[in-house]
């Protein structure tokens, strides 16, 4: 059952991203080809998929007994936090602004909901995940820090842009560029909150 969950995460990630690579321009918050990698949604799901491959390999090698190496557990934890942020941002921030149906159309259904929920579940119910220390909650925020830094630097270098050419594709610069650091800080706090919650689990 545990390995099946990991395999579902892998299949969901591969299938949805391959579809986006070929036909990504037909949906909101998606792009065709390599440009799709600019979205946190895509990157966080790929991270979760790769971590699921790693977790599955160790589970098969150990025969489903014992505990995963701590570093594998931290990666699994971090990927669950990352896709958890994706799910939360879609449900709380993007959904009310852009309406929910387009955000769950085609491959976005897997990237925004199915993949994240499967990843979180596969982390929460796996007894082979080692106990996460408090310091691991900070490690789990690192992917978001890197993405956020790149997001901000891109806007500072190339400007906000407009329409389909906007560099603020998630709409965090509602109050202009000056508001982005505040939005970034909020996102990091929310991510850390998710990390602390999942650590309790």
């Amino acid at each position: 059952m545990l390995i099946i969950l990991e395999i579902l995460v892998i299949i969901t990630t591969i299938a949805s991203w391959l579809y986006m690579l070929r036909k990504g321009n037909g949906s909101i918050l998606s792009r065709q080809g390599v440009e799709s990698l600019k979205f946190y949604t895509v990157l966080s799901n790929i991270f979760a998929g790769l971590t699921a491959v790693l977790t599955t390999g160790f589970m098969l090698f150990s025969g489903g007994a014992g505990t995963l190496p701590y570093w594998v557990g931290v990666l699994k934890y971090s990927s669950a936090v990352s896709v958890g942020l994706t799910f939360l941002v879609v449900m709380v921030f993007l959904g009310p602004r852009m309406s929910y149906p387009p955000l769950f159309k085609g491959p976005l259904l897997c990237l925004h909901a199915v993949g994240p929920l499967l990843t979180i579940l596969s982390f929460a119910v796996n007894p082979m995940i080692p106990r996460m220390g408090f310091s691991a909650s900070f490690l789990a925020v690192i992917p978001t820090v890197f993405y956020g830094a790149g997001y901000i630097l891109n806007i500072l270098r190339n400007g906000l842009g407009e329409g389909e050419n906007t560099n603020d594709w998630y709409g965090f610069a509602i109050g202009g560029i000056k508001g982005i650091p505040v939005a970034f800080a909020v996102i990091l706090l929310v991510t850390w909150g998710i990390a602390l919650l999942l650590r309790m689990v």
Side-chain angles (χ1 to χ4, degrees):
M1 175 62 181
L2 296 175
I3 290 182
I4 291 177
L5 279 176
E6 299 293 345
I7 292 174
L8 285 175
V9 172
I10 296 168
I11 292 174
T12 299
T13 301
I14 293 175
S16 55
W17 189 45
L18 286 179
Y19 185 91
M20 183 177 286
L21 282 174
R22 296 178 58 193
K23 302 179 180 180
N25 289 339
S27 304
I28 192 173
L29 290 179
S30 64
R31 288 292 184 273
Q32 191 172 6
V34 179
E35 194 179 356
S36 63
L37 293 174
K38 73 180 185 178
F39 296 110
Y40 184 86
T41 296
V42 175
L43 293 174
S44 63
N45 275 272
I46 290 176
F47 179 31
L50 291 174
T51 305
V53 171
L54 191 61
T55 304
T56 300
F58 274 97
M59 290 175 67
L60 290 173
F61 181 76
S62 66
T67 303
L68 293 171
Y70 187 75
W71 65 273
V72 175
V74 170
L75 287 176
K76 183 68 179 175
Y77 175 43
S78 184
S79 69
V81 170
S82 297
V83 292
L85 177 64
T86 286
F87 180 74
L88 189 64
V89 168
V90 167
M91 297 304 295
V92 176
F93 181 72
L94 297 178
R97 292 181 63 246
M98 301 178 177
S99 94
Y100 290 99
L103 293 172
F104 297 110
K105 179 182 178 182
L108 293 181
L109 174 62
C110 290
L111 296 173
H112 284 161
V114 177
L117 292 176
L118 284 173
T119 299
I120 292 171
L121 180 63
S122 68
F123 170 79
V125 303
N126 192 338
M128 295 182 67
I129 301 292
R131 183 178 294 276
M132 297 290 106
F134 182 72
S135 60
S137 66
F138 295 103
L139 296 176
V141 179
I142 289 177
T144 306
V145 171
F146 279 121
Y147 181 84
Y151 192 90
I152 292 174
L153 288 174
N154 180 47
I155 290 177
L156 292 177
R157 179 179 178 181
N158 301 307
L160 287 174
E162 297 180 357
E164 292 185 358
N165 296 319
T166 181
N167 290 309
D168 182 32
W169 42 85
Y170 287 121
F172 292 137
I174 298 176
I177 293 180
K178 292 182 179 179
I180 291 183
V182 176
F184 185 33
V186 170
I187 287 293
L188 291 182
L189 285 174
V190 170
T191 306
W192 190 46
I194 295 172
L196 293 176
L197 181 62
L198 288 182
R199 178 177 173 269
M200 290 173 59
V201 174

